[in-house]
Amino acid sequence: MDLDYQKSDGLVTAVIQDHASGRVLMVGYMNEEAFRTTTETGFATFYSRSRKKLWQKGESSGHRLAVKEIAVDCDRDAVLVKVEAIGPGVCHEGYESCFFRRLDDGEWKVSEERTYDPTTIYRGQA
Amino acid sequence: MDLDYQKSDGLVTAVIQDHASGRVLMVGYMNEEAFRTTTETGFATFYSRSRKKLWQKGESSGHRLAVKEIAVDCDRDAVLVKVEAIGPGVCHEGYESCFFRRLDDGEWKVSEERTYDPTTIYRGQA
């Protein structure tokens, strides 16, 4: 069974979930090559829509995502990747998860503390 | 802070997670109206890319998704919606989650039992 890359211009949506805590860490997108690279290397690899190229999560920060399990949804256009996140946080803004803001009375509010200082890791590249 | 609907042709990705178990149940897409309707009604509402219209999850099956919490990711193009799922399953194929197939030795294999018979609910509409 192949993934359906046609619905989103050659991409599938990839939801990244911590395999131990169940926390959703980030959402990325994979083209066929990124998905194949993810399964072959065991580390989550995405296609950057803005930079138009493959990137292995953690290639600059070291915060890689070791794949534990991959599931696919019923219409084959989204994958759920359970991972062990290496390092203190997945988000380039310094948080454990990219979903660090919650809707609270109609406003998005930061709902947790940073787990690391992103300026020491990304050196301004963000 | 507004969501960024521009990166995906007017849509943001919406990851639906069970608020109690942490299981990821489905992935959908919301345009601005779907997101507003979700927050106003308290039930997850999506934009169907194939039918090109808004749909409240559960409008035909009754399996609605009551919103408990909404988070947004760092680049504001994905939301994480924690829900209480009403009914025996979210997937129109009869499973608790749409992610009922796992990659196993290079093949997608169904990894769980159905929680209901979809033919009694959807009457062939799928």
Side-chain angles (χ1 to χ4, degrees):
Chain A
M1 188 189 76
D2 290 328
L3 297 179
D4 180 356
Y5 293 99
Q6 298 318 304
K7 254 185 265 172
S8 294
D9 298 326
L11 303 176
V12 294
T13 300
V15 178
I16 306 298
Q17 184 178 32
D18 186 284
H19 80 112
S21 70
R23 182 157 195 202
V24 174
L25 301 174
M26 61 172 286
V27 169
Y29 301 89
M30 294 179 181
N31 62 7
E32 198 166 353
E33 187 185 358
F35 180 74
R36 192 175 58 244
T37 304
T38 296
T39 59
E40 286 174 0
T41 64
F43 290 97
T45 303
F46 303 97
Y47 179 80
S48 168
R49 297 180 299 175
S50 53
R51 288 176 287 157
K52 299 190 193 314
K53 64 168 195 164
L54 240 56
W55 61 288
Q56 187 193 78
K57 167 66 187 160
E59 64 191 20
S60 60
S61 66
H63 300 168
R64 298 198 294 169
L65 302 169
V67 175
K68 297 290 182 181
E69 183 186 298
I70 305 179
V72 64
D73 75 345
C74 48
D75 52 5
R76 302 176 294 113
D77 61 1
V79 291
L80 173 63
V81 185
K82 294 190 182 179
V83 302
E84 179 184 343
I86 296 167
V90 161
C91 183
H92 73 284
E93 294 197 28
Y95 296 90
E96 183 198 10
S97 163
C98 293
F99 292 95
F100 60 85
R101 277 182 294 231
R102 258 190 269 173
L103 197 60
D104 182 1
D105 264 343
E107 302 217 344
W108 297 108
K109 293 189 182 153
V110 173
S111 53
E112 61 198 76
E113 300 287 321
R114 281 197 166 90
T115 53
Y116 71 97
D117 177 357
T119 61
T120 63
I121 300 286
Y122 291 95
R123 299 192 188 103
Q125 296 171 43
Chain B
M1 188 190 75
D2 290 328
L3 298 180
D4 181 356
Y5 293 99
Q6 298 318 306
K7 255 185 263 172
S8 294
D9 298 325
L11 303 175
V12 293
T13 300
V15 178
I16 306 298
Q17 184 178 32
D18 187 285
H19 79 112
S21 70
R23 183 158 194 201
V24 174
L25 301 174
M26 61 173 286
V27 169
Y29 301 90
M30 294 180 181
N31 63 7
E32 198 165 355
E33 187 185 358
F35 180 74
R36 192 174 58 243
T37 304
T38 296
T39 59
E40 286 174 359
T41 63
F43 290 97
T45 303
F46 303 97
Y47 179 80
S48 168
R49 296 179 298 174
S50 54
R51 288 176 286 158
K52 299 189 193 313
K53 63 168 195 163
L54 241 56
W55 61 289
Q56 186 192 78
K57 167 65 187 160
E59 64 191 20
S60 60
S61 65
H63 300 168
R64 299 198 293 169
L65 301 170
V67 175
K68 297 290 183 180
E69 183 185 298
I70 305 179
V72 63
D73 74 347
C74 47
D75 53 4
R76 302 176 294 113
D77 62 0
V79 291
L80 172 63
V81 185
K82 294 190 182 180
V83 302
E84 178 184 344
I86 296 167
V90 160
C91 183
H92 73 284
E93 294 197 28
Y95 295 90
E96 182 198 10
S97 163
C98 292
F99 292 95
F100 59 86
R101 277 182 293 231
R102 257 190 271 175
L103 197 61
D104 182 1
D105 264 343
E107 302 218 343
W108 297 108
K109 292 188 183 155
V110 173
S111 53
E112 61 197 75
E113 299 288 320
R114 281 197 165 90
T115 52
Y116 71 97
D117 177 357
T119 61
T120 63
I121 301 285
Y122 291 96
R123 300 193 188 102
Q125 295 172 42

